[in-house]
Amino acid sequence: RGLQPNLITYSAVVKACYDAKIYADALDKTREAVSMKLVPSMILMSSEVPKWDLHLLSESLSCMLLSDALLTLIDTGKHESPSFKDILVITGKGLNTVGQNGPVLREKVPKFLIDVAGLETSAVEGNEGRFLITGETLQQWASSTEFGQFKSLFHDKTPR
């Protein structure tokens, strides 16, 4: 009996925290949704380039999943290997976007990475539904003040 959390309730809470820039709580709720299998895993490994697929996710969930993956990757990289691979992030072209604002993820996710994380991305020529985070960029970002500032937005929530 009672209410059971689902993707809609988690999405609403994550969005509220994200919109208020309370990223630590947004990340915490995103991780809960993932642990309950309400949100699919976005990381796909194929060939040499990891692919992080954000299709069909909201802006707030996409940005929090990406933040979590990046924070975990950097923390793991500091302990295991000093070099990073390129990462292909798939947002989709927004062809299924409903509403007047047009495609959301393909514009908002890279903007979040630049504005909030201080992490530069590169366009993928010939496919506007994808962008690249180069290994070189990740390497530089991992030792930058921007990364330290980004990590501090999540307080004690990083890494798992």
Side-chain angles (χ1 to χ4, degrees), residues 10 28-41 61 65 68 160:
Y10 271 101
D28 188 47
K29 293 302 171 194
T30 299
R31 286 178 175 164
E32 282 182 30
V34 169
S35 72
M36 295 178 69
K37 301 192 183 326
L38 297 174
V39 177
S41 174
L61 280 172
L65 284 169
D68 192 28
R160 285 184 264 195

Side-chain angles (χ1 to χ4, degrees), residues 21-25 112 116-117 148-155:
K21 297 182 177 17
I22 306 171
Y23 298 123
D25 290 344
F112 171 82
V116 177
Q149 291 168 348
F150 180 67
K151 188 173 180 176
S152 74
L153 296 173
F154 298 94
H155 309 295

Side-chain angles (χ1 to χ4, degrees), residues 5-32:
N6 60 29
L7 180 57
I8 294 169
T9 55
Y10 271 101
S11 294
V13 172
V14 170
K15 180 175 177 11
C17 293
Y18 175 83
D19 288 348
K21 297 182 177 17
I22 306 171
Y23 298 123
D25 290 344
L27 180 59
D28 188 47
K29 293 302 171 194
T30 299
R31 286 178 175 164
E32 282 182 30

Side-chain angles (χ1 to χ4, degrees), residues 77-147:
K78 287 181 180 177
H79 299 296
E80 293 178 4
S81 170
S83 63
F84 297 101
K85 292 182 177 183
D86 292 352
I87 299 167
L88 184 65
V89 180
I90 304 165
T91 60
K93 295 179 183 180
L95 300 177
N96 295 320
T97 301
V98 178
Q100 298 175 344
N101 295 333
V104 174
L105 297 183
R106 77 173 197 206
E107 294 173 11
K108 301 272 181 137
V109 173
K111 183 172 176 21
F112 171 82
L113 291 176
I114 292 167
D115 294 350
V116 177
L119 179 61
E120 295 292 326
T121 63
S122 304
V124 174
E125 191 172 321
N127 190 335
E128 59 192 24
R130 299 172 174 220
F131 64 88
L132 189 68
I133 303 171
T134 67
E136 182 180 339
T137 299
L138 278 171
Q139 184 72 38
Q140 292 170 355
W141 183 63
S143 59
S144 71
T145 57
E146 286 87 359
F147 173 71

Side-chain angles (χ1 to χ4, degrees), residues 30-83:
T30 299
R31 286 178 175 164
E32 282 182 30
V34 169
S35 72
M36 295 178 69
K37 301 192 183 326
L38 297 174
V39 177
S41 174
M42 68 165 188
I43 299 175
L44 305 170
M45 300 297 283
S46 64
S47 67
E48 291 294 313
V49 179
K51 294 180 182 178
W52 292 356
D53 193 345
L54 305 172
H55 269 105
L56 305 177
L57 296 173
S58 67
E59 173 190 351
S60 54
L61 280 172
S62 293
C63 290
M64 290 301 98
L65 284 169
L66 198 51
S67 296
D68 192 28
L70 287 167
L71 291 165
T72 301
L73 177 72
I74 299 297
D75 187 63
T76 302
K78 287 181 180 177
H79 299 296
E80 293 178 4
S81 170
S83 63

